[in-house]
């Protein structure tokens, strides 16, 4: 069966030589194509620049939303950013697709800094891995209740003392 | 150096006039997972969902697979779809599954939106603006959702 609709989305985070992180997200689909590129400072995780383009769209008006992405400059990749980005760039006068690509870039930055601490944990097996995850959770209390692995009753949370 | 990379792919099939089957794949440095979602029009209701986890981080992650069933019955047009999926599928299960499920849902909406476009070269074809206005009758939840669907009279 021939597909009626296709979406391809690709996002990356690149470590810059000056210690910054460059995040890129692009989407290519049947009716739309766009890309966003942003620079994020480290360790503050402040968005210092954003560039965007709508390469293909059904309604030409979509391109009018491109300048709105500049409103992301100055925001910090962290709690609250989803609401801020959707509020400033999505909604009636904006483009939810561009807002989504900005948030994809933010997600890449977060995941980029998640890989390194996960690596040594995932090399462990059995009880050693469980204990390593408990230490990880104690150091990252924001993860409590973020998913089933860190929900109440999970063995990865058992006995973990969380800082207030 | 490349610090992280994620690719998501969604394909939508139309096995029947009112049925949309979305297949979504998420592959990144850490996770690998797939989802199949069935959505039925005109309610745009999720009637079935299945998922598979290929690569995960913790031994608890596979427990999120049955949690996907929390999405069955949700309607894509409800204004709180994103927060509901993030809570009922993400926080109670896996947030990457929730992310992929929302990607599938959005692709189904776009598929339905542009499915009837006859092409600008067809004789008697409406303008693109007229076409979108017409589609809003079938998909009223898109009204005022963005610049392209902004209707000044509302």
């Amino acid at each position: 069966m021939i597909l009626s609709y296709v979406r391809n989305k690709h996002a990356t985070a690149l470590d810059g030589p000056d210690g910054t992180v460059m995040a890129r997200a692009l989407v290519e689909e049947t009716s739309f194509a766009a890309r966003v590129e942003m620079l994020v400072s480290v360790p503050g995780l402040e968005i210092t620049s954003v560039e965007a383009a709508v390469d293909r769209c059904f309604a030409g008006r979509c391109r009018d939303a491109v300048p709105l992405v500049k409103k992301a400059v100055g925001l910090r990749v962290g709690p609250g950013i989803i609401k801020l980005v959707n509020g400033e760039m999505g909604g009636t006068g904006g483009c939810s697709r561009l807002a989504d690509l900005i948030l994809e870039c933010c997600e890449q930055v977060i995941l980029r800094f998640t890989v390194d601490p996960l690596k040594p944990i995932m090399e462990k097996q059995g009880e050693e891995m469980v204990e390593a995850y408990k230490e990880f959770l104690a150091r990252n209390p924001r993860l409590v209740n973020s998913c089933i692995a860190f929900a109440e009753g999970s063995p990865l949370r058992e006995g973990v003392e969380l800082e207030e | 150096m490349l610090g992280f990379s994620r690719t998501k792919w969604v394909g939508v099939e139309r096995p029947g006039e009112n049925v949309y089957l979305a297949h979504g794949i998420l592959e990144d440095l850490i996770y690998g997972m797939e989802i199949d979602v069935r959505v039925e029009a005109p309610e745009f209701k999720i009637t079935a969902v299945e998922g598979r986890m290929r690569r995960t981080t913790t031994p608890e992650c596979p427990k999120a697979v049955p949690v996907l069933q929390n999405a069955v019955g949700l309607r894509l047009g409800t204004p709180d779809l994103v927060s509901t999926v993030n809570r009922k599928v993400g926080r109670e299960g896996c947030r990457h599954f929730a992310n992929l499920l929302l990607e599938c849902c959005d692709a189904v909406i776009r598929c339905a939106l542009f499915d009837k476009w006859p092409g600008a070269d067809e004789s008697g074809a409406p303008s693109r603006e007229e076409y979108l206005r017409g589609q809003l009758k079938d998909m009223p939840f898109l009204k005022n959702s963005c610049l392209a669907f902004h209707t000044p009279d509302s």
Side-chain angles (χ1 to χ4, degrees):
Chain A
M1 182 181 287
I2 292 176
L3 292 173
S4 295
Y5 203 83
V6 182
R7 171 176 296 176
N8 257 302
K9 198 186 256 183
H10 184 59
T12 53
L14 292 140
D15 297 340
D18 56 352
T20 59
V21 173
M22 163 85 80
R24 291 183 180 133
L26 67 90
V27 65
E28 187 84 46
E29 63 187 63
T30 309
S31 66
F32 186 77
R35 55 206 146 95
V36 165
E37 185 172 294
M38 68 163 66
L39 259 181
V40 175
S41 68
V42 177
L45 301 189
E46 184 185 321
I47 298 170
T48 56
S49 76
V50 186
E51 299 293 335
V54 172
D55 298 312
R56 222 160 22 81
C57 62
F58 187 82
R61 276 197 275 172
C62 301
R63 291 194 175 91
D64 296 346
V66 170
L68 291 177
V69 301
K70 297 290 182 191
K71 291 187 173 184
V73 174
L75 298 180
R76 276 194 72 246
V77 178
I81 192 159
I82 295 174
K83 201 171 179 179
L84 283 170
V85 168
N86 284 330
E88 293 283 355
M89 280 149 264
T92 305
C95 175
S96 58
R97 311 300 311 277
L98 287 175
D100 173 66
L101 287 179
I102 287 178
L103 292 173
E104 288 284 359
C105 286
C106 295
E107 179 80 350
Q108 299 314 297
V109 174
I110 293 166
L111 288 166
R112 183 259 169 269
F113 290 107
T114 309
V115 175
D116 291 343
L118 274 183
K119 269 182 193 163
I121 300 175
M122 292 177 69
E123 283 165 6
K124 299 181 191 301
Q125 300 276 324
E127 198 52 40
E128 267 196 355
M129 180 190 258
V130 171
E131 289 306 314
Y133 266 117
K134 286 181 183 179
E135 284 174 31
F136 179 68
L137 187 60
R139 285 196 308 271
N140 298 279
R142 67 185 167 83
L143 292 175
V144 170
N145 291 328
S146 64
C147 67
I148 201 163
F150 301 121
E152 202 173 341
S154 166
L156 305 185
R157 200 173 141 175
E158 207 177 295
V160 175
E161 287 187 21
L162 298 163
E163 289 174 19
E164 289 298 320
Chain B
M1 288 288 282
L2 188 67
F4 201 81
S5 170
R6 165 172 283 187
T7 298
K8 288 185 275 185
W9 181 91
V10 182
V12 183
E13 294 174 37
R14 293 287 307 276
E17 196 184 343
N18 293 323
V19 179
Y20 299 84
L21 298 179
H23 179 63
I25 300 168
L26 181 153
E27 285 288 339
D28 65 30
L29 281 188
I30 304 174
Y31 304 96
M33 47 192 71
E34 292 181 42
I35 280 184
D36 287 290
V37 196
R38 181 186 175 97
V39 175
E40 292 184 23
E43 300 88 358
F44 291 99
K45 189 160 88 174
I46 297 174
T47 56
V49 57
E50 279 180 34
R52 291 164 295 284
M53 287 182 157
R54 221 171 57 75
R55 285 182 301 117
T56 57
T57 47
T58 82
E60 295 298 299
C61 296
K63 291 179 181 171
V65 175
V67 180
L68 270 175
Q69 299 312 311
N70 288 349
V72 175
L74 296 178
R75 289 169 190 244
L76 307 196
T78 53
D80 61 347
L81 179 76
V82 173
S83 58
T84 303
V85 169
N86 281 334
R87 188 177 71 253
K88 302 295 287 181
V89 175
R91 289 174 77 90
E92 292 181 20
C94 167
R95 70 185 192 92
H96 306 288
F97 251 164
N99 182 301
L100 184 58
L101 177 60
L102 288 170
E103 204 72 71
C104 291
C105 293
D106 193 65
V108 166
I109 290 171
R110 306 290 155 184
C111 180
L113 183 62
F114 298 110
D115 211 32
K116 293 177 187 161
W117 173 240
D121 297 334
E122 294 287 318
S123 63
S127 72
R128 290 179 178 230
E129 295 281 334
E130 283 168 348
Y131 173 80
L132 289 179
R133 274 198 298 275
Q135 287 300 86
L136 285 181
K137 287 175 193 153
D138 292 337
M139 309 173 80
F141 51 87
L142 289 177
K143 205 171 180 180
N144 290 325
S145 61
C146 68
L147 202 62
F149 294 119
H150 177 53
T151 50
D153 54 322
S154 59

